[in-house]
Amino acid sequence: LVEQNEALVSIVLMLSLYAAPQRRSHVVRFQFDQRVTARITLSRVLWLRGKTDQALRNVETGSQEALTLRHSLSLGNVLAQAACPVALLAGKLDLAERYIEMFMEQAAANDLDVWRIYGRCFRGMLRIRRGELAGGLLQLGEAVDELRQAKFVQYLTAFLLAQAEGLSEAKRVEQALLAVHEALARVEETNERWCLAEALRIRGELALHVASQTDAESYFRQALKCAHAQGALSWELRAATSLARLYQTQRRPAPARAVLEPVLAAFSEGLDSPDVASAAGLLRTLQ
């Protein structure tokens, strides 16, 4: 999905007009309920559009619908593709833990090895977010290697970006660069442009580790431009925060405010999220 506002309009319209099949099941193709599957896309687009609270509510609705249907594959699908990643992106770590454990239960019940690997990826990401860098990176790295060996790489790009960010935080710059370069190559190969802005931002943060502020600024600006063009407000905020923080270190508060203030002002919900709180805290220091 490249244009998030258009995607949001389309998926909301689909759900509002969806008519129950009269003579066949809602469950088609890969044995997933179509209404629940639509909520997966809606949840992810809502988060990208900066509608964090709506995204989390929609994730819970989709999970409850799957539970009500008693359809295990649909529940596992919504947990893997929406509940776990959206909760982690929103910084709701206790909620993410609950969803991850639900997902691992579904993986065990359905005896699905790929889901087990995904679960280990999510657990590694959660540990990294909680500050357990060494253990989290080890778990995530091993699970990413398993995905490569299984040749099931549908969601590998997002896991690579989480790995690169964790490695960056751990000051393991060379390994982080390998992960982000692999992610960027996959974006080009698979056209997964929904996360391109975040990949560019992380590449910019890594440029700072090798003391290249000029390169960092270039990557941050590319990330900001990409996120804005896509209507991906959540990525835009992260990029604006990174760029504003760079300007702050350069003692340039005016351009830092000019970059960050309008993006932050566009948020009307999710105000307690780590991304918004970090941006707001930075902006206060620039006054």
Side-chain angles (χ1 to χ4, degrees):
L1 298 174
V2 175
E3 214 295 321
Q4 300 303 325
N5 190 55
E6 182 180 338
L8 181 59
V9 170
S10 297
I11 199 68
V12 168
L13 184 64
M14 176 266 168
L15 280 166
S16 67
L17 297 178
Y18 183 79
Q22 297 299 310
R23 296 177 181 171
R24 58 185 174 84
S25 171
H26 292 282
V27 177
V28 298
R29 204 179 179 199
F30 298 115
Q31 298 299 302
F32 301 139
D33 181 271
Q34 295 307 287
R35 293 163 302 186
V36 174
T37 301
R39 289 198 179 278
I40 291 171
T41 302
L42 179 57
S43 299
R44 296 173 72 97
V45 173
L46 283 168
W47 185 82
L48 286 166
R49 291 285 295 147
K51 305 295 184 183
T52 301
D53 296 343
Q54 292 181 54
L56 291 169
R57 286 196 298 270
N58 195 68
V59 158
E60 188 63 25
T61 298
S63 302
Q64 290 303 317
E65 285 180 355
L67 283 167
T68 300
L69 291 167
R70 298 188 177 184
H71 195 262
S72 183
L73 290 178
S74 290
L75 177 58
N77 198 35
V78 76
L79 289 168
Q81 296 193 52
C84 295
V86 169
L88 286 166
L89 286 166
K92 300 294 184 182
L93 303 187
D94 290 344
L95 180 62
E97 183 175 23
R98 177 166 72 85
Y99 285 142
I100 292 166
E101 294 315 306
M102 286 175 63
F103 178 57
M104 292 302 278
E105 289 173 9
Q106 295 304 309
N110 289 280
D111 197 25
L112 291 174
D113 287 340
V114 169
W115 279 8
R116 290 192 185 99
I117 300 172
Y118 283 169
R120 290 195 287 276
C121 285
F122 291 134
R123 280 176 171 169
M125 291 168 66
L126 179 63
R127 292 177 70 184
I128 291 169
R129 294 295 299 274
R130 284 178 164 166
E132 302 174 40
L133 280 178
L137 284 168
L138 179 63
Q139 188 168 30
L140 178 57
E142 289 177 347
V144 164
D145 285 341
E146 286 185 70
L147 281 179
R148 289 196 192 95
Q149 291 168 16
K151 300 187 185 304
F152 200 94
V153 293
Q154 187 174 2
Y155 306 110
L156 178 60
T157 306
F159 292 137
L160 284 168
L161 291 178
Q163 187 180 29
E165 192 165 32
L167 288 165
S168 174
E169 190 175 346
K171 305 295 190 294
R172 292 161 60 180
V173 179
E174 288 186 9
Q175 291 172 284
L177 284 168
L178 288 174
V180 78
H181 285 155
E182 184 179 351
L184 283 164
R186 286 192 54 76
V187 168
E188 288 301 312
E189 179 185 346
T190 64
N191 207 30
E192 294 177 78
R193 299 183 66 81
W194 72 274
C195 59
L196 175 58
E198 179 67 349
L200 291 167
R201 185 194 69 82
I202 293 170
R203 181 63 185 85
E205 292 289 353
L206 288 168
L208 291 177
H209 281 294
V210 294
S212 181
Q213 292 191 358
T214 301
D215 286 348
E217 181 175 357
S218 175
Y219 282 117
F220 294 153
R221 286 197 169 279
Q222 289 178 61
L224 198 61
K225 181 179 179 180
C226 175
H228 184 75
Q230 292 182 359
L233 185 61
S234 289
W235 290 152
E236 191 175 359
L237 182 66
R238 290 190 181 184
T241 302
S242 290
L243 183 56
R245 190 174 289 117
L246 172 60
Y247 287 155
Q248 184 187 44
T249 64
Q250 296 172 341
R251 299 184 179 180
R252 299 167 63 192
R257 284 196 304 272
V259 163
L260 185 56
E261 197 164 24
V263 180
L264 184 59
F267 280 79
S268 58
E269 58 180 83
L271 303 182
D272 63 341
S273 70
D275 287 346
V276 173
S278 176
L282 175 58
L283 187 61
R284 283 193 295 272
T285 69
L286 297 171
Q287 301 303 320

